[in-house]
Amino acid sequence: MADPERCGIRIEHLRKRYGKGATAVDALRDVNMCVAPGEVVGLVGPSGSGKTTLLKCLGAVIEPTGGRMTLGGEVIYDDGWTISDLRTLRRDRIGFVFQAPYLIPFLDATDNVALLPMLAGRTNGESRGRALALLDALDVAHRGRAMPPQLSGGEQQRVAIARALANRPPVILADEPTAPLDSERALAVIRILHRMAREYQTAVVVVTHDEKIMPTFERIYHIRDGRTDEEAGEGRPLGG
């Protein structure tokens, strides 16, 4: 278990209820999680178990019903939001990686990554410099002028990871990031997430059903009926 004093993500007794009265549904009943900076953990569970709801709560997309969430050492929810500007929180403090890259089709790879820092108020030069450095770290700098349709699936996902890191968030939430990829590219993507987590000291949660990447996690959270259980993973080294 990660040291509770060193949690990049800490969730305590999180609950989410949809609806009221007899029709109410408890999607999250008692979720507890701690992910250290630099750590990548897996989140697995059957359909309807609460994975998507948990990710949306962590990403400040929907409001929980109760509990407590801490991101990057700051309490963001304690039986109510403690931060007034959730849009800025999502932009600056949380990186999102999805099953599909969702790159902006009329921007090249560099500008797709540079957009978030520019929206956060950084200069064009600083934003593009940060984008190029991330693309270089992810071995796609040579594709920086390419438009999204010109990129392979693996290249698009690398650009999406660079975009998630562009504002150097303490947290990355990855929702089935390897689902559309073959074994080689899936392992390349998860290798990158592990390396970037270490280098940027980012806490990463990966929602997945992908059996190919399960052995890479040192810890796995299983969510069942809205509750979490933690188990030790294999933590098999990937290199890279």
Side-chain angles (χ1 to χ4, degrees), residues 160-236:
I161 292 171
R163 180 181 58 191
L165 288 162
N167 278 332
R168 297 173 184 167
V171 169
I172 284 183
L173 307 176
D175 189 6
E176 299 280 3
T178 64
L181 304 176
D182 60 32
S183 295
E184 183 178 352
R185 288 175 177 164
L187 289 173
V189 164
I190 201 67
R191 181 183 297 117
I192 287 167
L193 284 173
H194 278 275
R195 177 161 57 87
M196 294 292 101
R198 292 194 305 269
E199 291 182 7
Y200 289 87
Q201 285 299 288
T202 303
V204 181
V205 176
V206 179
V207 173
T208 188
H209 289 99
D210 193 341
E211 295 292 337
K212 299 184 295 292
I213 68 173
M214 292 295 185
T216 72
F217 301 118
E218 292 189 357
R219 295 191 302 123
I220 297 172
Y221 283 93
H222 291 268
I223 185 164
R224 303 179 182 91
D225 299 322
R227 295 183 173 87
T228 45
D229 294 305
E230 178 191 345
E231 73 170 8
E234 294 181 39
R236 190 178 300 169

Side-chain angles (χ1 to χ4, degrees), residues 16 59 86 98 104 108 132 152 179 186 189 215:
K16 174 60 180 177
L86 295 179
F98 302 101
I104 298 173
D108 66 23
L132 288 169
S152 70
V189 164

